[in-house]
Amino acid sequence: MPIKKLLFASLLICSMIQSSHGATKERLFTDLEKGALEVTATPSRTGEGVVLAAGVDKLSITWKVSSTATKEPEFKIIKVKLCYAPVSQVDRPWRKTENELFKDKSCPHKISSFSYDPTVKTAQSFNYTLERDIPTGTYYVRAYAVDAKDHEVAFGQSTNEDKTTNLFSVQAISGRHKSLDIASVCFSVFSVVALLVFFVNEKRKAKIEQSK
């Protein structure tokens, strides 16, 4: 009897966990309030054909809550992300856009997050240096408003609905970085020193043995 009760309790806990996960997975992008956040992203270099350099160039990002936002009372955190434009998603399933938020891979690069203060009505601005590990591609910026349960409830983005305007291109860092070369040299020197110490110790041991 105790074993049956234990098994029943285990099944009940598993079903509750599964239900909890299911509730999270059912959250859809199309259920979010669209345009609740007004977002702009201005690159440090602009112009036709300009490609930004990862690890070097910056974005000046501004966001504010739209006057038409209806879910503002639910906002607790604003999460800002770097997203792939459709042109950089072609033949790349690992960047695919999905309506189910837990499956979506279009905005994997976290930029920053802010606690939302409803008393601040002015636009919030900050500068962001493109991370060194950002892949080559075309991007835009999206901001999500998140509630107390860490669920996205609204969003806004720096491009239009079709994701064809105000895009910017980034060139990833290619080749070996200087810090990697320095680390490689240091490791090589350490290896040589360790080898010399080993041989010296071995010779010393051999002399001691011979003297005996």
Side-chain angles (χ1 to χ4, degrees), residues 176-202:
R176 293 181 58 174
H177 188 253
K178 186 177 180 180
S179 61
L180 292 178
D181 292 332
I182 293 173
S184 178
V185 170
C186 290
F187 181 76
S188 299
V189 171
F190 174 79
S191 299
V192 171
V193 171
L195 192 60
L196 288 173
V197 171
F198 174 77
F199 279 121
V200 169
N201 286 337
E202 287 298 311

Side-chain angles (χ1 to χ4, degrees), residues 53-182:
V56 177
D57 287 310
K58 298 180 179 181
L59 300 176
S60 177
I61 300 172
T62 300
W63 65 268
K64 72 173 183 176
V65 176
S66 171
S67 58
T68 61
T70 60
K71 293 187 177 181
E72 182 182 0
E74 300 178 44
F75 296 178
K76 296 299 180 185
I77 302 288
I78 304 299
K79 295 183 178 182
V80 185
K81 297 186 176 185
L82 191 64
C83 307
Y84 294 111
V87 67
S88 288
Q89 294 176 293
V90 178
D91 297 328
R92 295 178 175 91
W94 57 91
R95 300 180 180 180
K96 187 177 180 181
T97 298
E98 297 281 0
N99 192 32
E100 294 173 282
L101 290 173
F102 84 102
K103 288 183 178 179
D104 185 57
K105 302 179 182 68
S106 62
C107 301
H109 307 291
K110 297 178 182 178
I111 293 178
S112 191
S113 62
F114 307 88
S115 296
Y116 177 63
D117 184 352
T119 64
V120 179
K121 301 299 182 182
T122 56
Q124 305 298 300
S125 300
F126 66 98
N127 291 325
Y128 164 71
T129 301
L130 293 162
E131 298 289 343
R132 301 182 60 83
D133 59 351
I134 296 297
T136 296
T138 303
Y139 296 87
Y140 63 94
V141 172
R142 176 181 290 165
Y144 287 101
V146 179
D147 64 15
K149 295 181 179 179
D150 201 32
H151 293 160
E152 296 88 346
V153 294
F155 78 98
Q157 56 193 34
S158 62
T159 185
N160 60 357
E161 188 173 354
D162 294 329
K163 306 167 192 170
T164 57
T165 61
N166 302 320
L167 305 176
F168 51 89
S169 298
V170 177
Q171 176 63 51
I173 294 175
S174 59
R176 293 181 58 174
H177 188 253
K178 186 177 180 180
S179 61
L180 292 178
D181 292 332
I182 293 173

Side-chain angles (χ1 to χ4, degrees), residues 10 37 44 95 103 182 210-211:
S10 300
L37 297 171
S44 54
R95 300 180 180 180
K103 288 183 178 179
I182 293 173
Q210 288 177 0
S211 62

